[in-house]
Amino acid sequence: MAAAVETPAVAELELSAPWRLRDRAGLAFAWLLGLLFCAIAAAIVIYLLTQGLRYVRPNLFVTHPAVGFSESETGGFLDPLIGTFAVGVMAMAIALPAGVGIGVWLSEYGRPFALARAAESTIEMIAGTPSIVLALFGTLIFQSGALGFLSRTSNGVVFGRSFFAAATMLSFVALPLVVASTREGLQAIPGHVREASYAVGKTRAATTRRILLPTARPSVITGAMLGFGRVIGYTAIIVVLLGSTLRLDAADSTPLLGALRGTGSTLTTYIFQNAPTGEGNQPTKAYAAAFVLLMVVLALNIGAGVAGSRGKAHRWS
């Protein structure tokens, strides 16, 4: 009888030992990959920081880019810097309210069910769409006569290149991040918070507007920062829909609207043009602009991390 009782235990130990060894090997492999990716990211950051600090000069931030043969003649990157923040702010002005609205609807309503599932699939599809596809789709839309007022038009020909066109298509890049962050923040709020609000007579809309969204604000801010950082790092959409001109080229003399209807460039296209394989072939300017862009992206990611940690620090009882 004793042997009959001990046999299953021995068999279980024999079966579990190989699995423990495999788990340890898998964990070690995961750690190895994680450390490898961290080392690669650190190498990129350190290299760009080292190169950038060598070539960044204060005058690069305040001088316009120009055509020239030497570095002293080609100026700085004031126009691409302005273009980077302009197109980023415009893209987030579209993506943030749309993303928050979609995230609230999916998290708090989700009706009709079929439409909600279709919306989720669409958001996931947009997140995986190549930027050049979005650029070509934007060209097809903004070259139509109905949207000619948003870009430069000459003799009835709509060019379809402007800050409006580039920012609209870049908003699709940031939209999935805003939606995901908003949904995560709302789903982290316990159900009894909603029930307490309903108990005192608040409607679902009032509960969402006055209680849930203010509570989920750190997550929304995180999504906005990550979306902005992703938007300013794209190149294909800028080249196709903004024109990648050396300086800001307004469509007309209207102070602000004319500039936004015109063409320009961002730091990403400036880096591309001044890379050793680009038309400008000014590597020092490319390293300096890459350093500035890297600092902006790192600052946004650190800010997103701080906002996310503050949201997680709030505990519900």
Side-chain angles (χ1 to χ4, degrees):
M1 181 67 67
V5 174
E6 293 176 358
T7 301
V10 173
E12 183 178 355
L13 289 175
E14 292 177 353
L15 290 174
S16 62
W19 282 106
R20 286 201 302 269
L21 181 60
R22 294 173 186 175
D23 290 342
R24 291 175 182 175
L27 181 61
F29 183 67
W31 268 96
L32 178 63
L33 290 180
L35 293 175
L36 178 62
F37 292 149
C38 290
I40 293 174
I44 294 173
V45 172
I46 293 173
Y47 178 75
L48 288 179
L49 289 179
T50 304
Q51 296 295 327
L53 288 174
R54 291 174 56 189
Y55 303 119
V56 169
R57 300 292 183 270
N59 65 301
L60 296 176
F61 295 89
V62 295
T63 55
H64 299 279
V67 178
F69 295 100
S70 64
E71 295 183 5
S72 59
E73 297 175 347
T74 54
F77 44 75
L78 175 61
D79 293 71
L81 187 62
I82 295 174
T84 298
F85 284 99
V87 77
V89 170
M90 293 174 65
M92 293 311 303
I94 300 172
L96 186 58
V100 171
I102 295 172
V104 168
W105 174 59
L106 291 176
S107 178
E108 301 302 315
Y109 296 89
R111 296 290 184 274
F113 181 80
L115 182 59
R117 300 291 78 77
E120 288 183 343
S121 300
T122 302
I123 295 297
E124 294 175 358
M125 182 186 67
I126 292 175
T129 302
S131 60
I132 189 63
V133 175
L134 293 176
L136 293 177
F137 182 68
T139 301
L140 178 65
I141 294 176
F142 286 95
Q143 282 185 342
S144 62
L147 298 178
F149 65 96
L150 293 178
S151 63
R152 188 190 302 275
T153 304
S154 177
N155 298 325
V157 178
V158 180
F159 292 95
R161 289 182 171 183
S162 67
F163 280 93
F164 288 113
T168 301
M169 300 315 299
L170 283 171
S171 66
F172 287 98
V173 174
L175 185 65
L177 293 173
V178 178
V179 173
S181 296
T182 302
R183 293 187 66 185
E184 181 182 355
L186 291 173
Q187 292 172 356
I189 302 175
H192 65 77
V193 176
R194 298 170 176 81
E195 295 172 0
S197 178
Y198 301 152
V200 297
K202 297 294 183 180
T203 63
R204 178 175 292 184
T207 300
T208 301
R209 185 178 66 256
R210 298 182 179 181
I211 298 176
L212 300 184
L213 280 179
T215 304
R217 186 180 294 116
S219 296
V220 176
I221 295 174
T222 298
M225 288 184 173
L226 293 176
F228 189 89
R230 190 174 180 185
V231 162
I232 63 176
Y234 270 67
T235 305
I237 295 177
I238 298 298
V239 171
V240 176
L241 292 177
L242 190 55
S244 187
T245 54
L246 194 62
R247 298 180 63 171
L248 300 179
D249 186 12
D252 51 56
S253 58
T254 308
L256 180 60
L257 185 60
L260 297 180
R261 291 177 62 240
T263 57
S265 62
T266 63
L267 288 174
T268 55
T269 55
Y270 182 85
I271 296 169
F272 174 74
Q273 290 177 348
N274 286 279
T277 55
E279 297 179 358
N281 192 16
Q282 300 282 342
T284 59
K285 301 291 181 68
Y287 280 124
F291 170 78
V292 174
L293 182 62
L294 178 64
M295 290 296 98
V296 174
V297 173
L298 286 178
L300 289 171
N301 280 273
I302 292 173
V306 171
S309 63
R310 287 183 178 180
K312 293 179 181 179
H314 193 275
R315 294 290 185 265
W316 296 93
S317 57

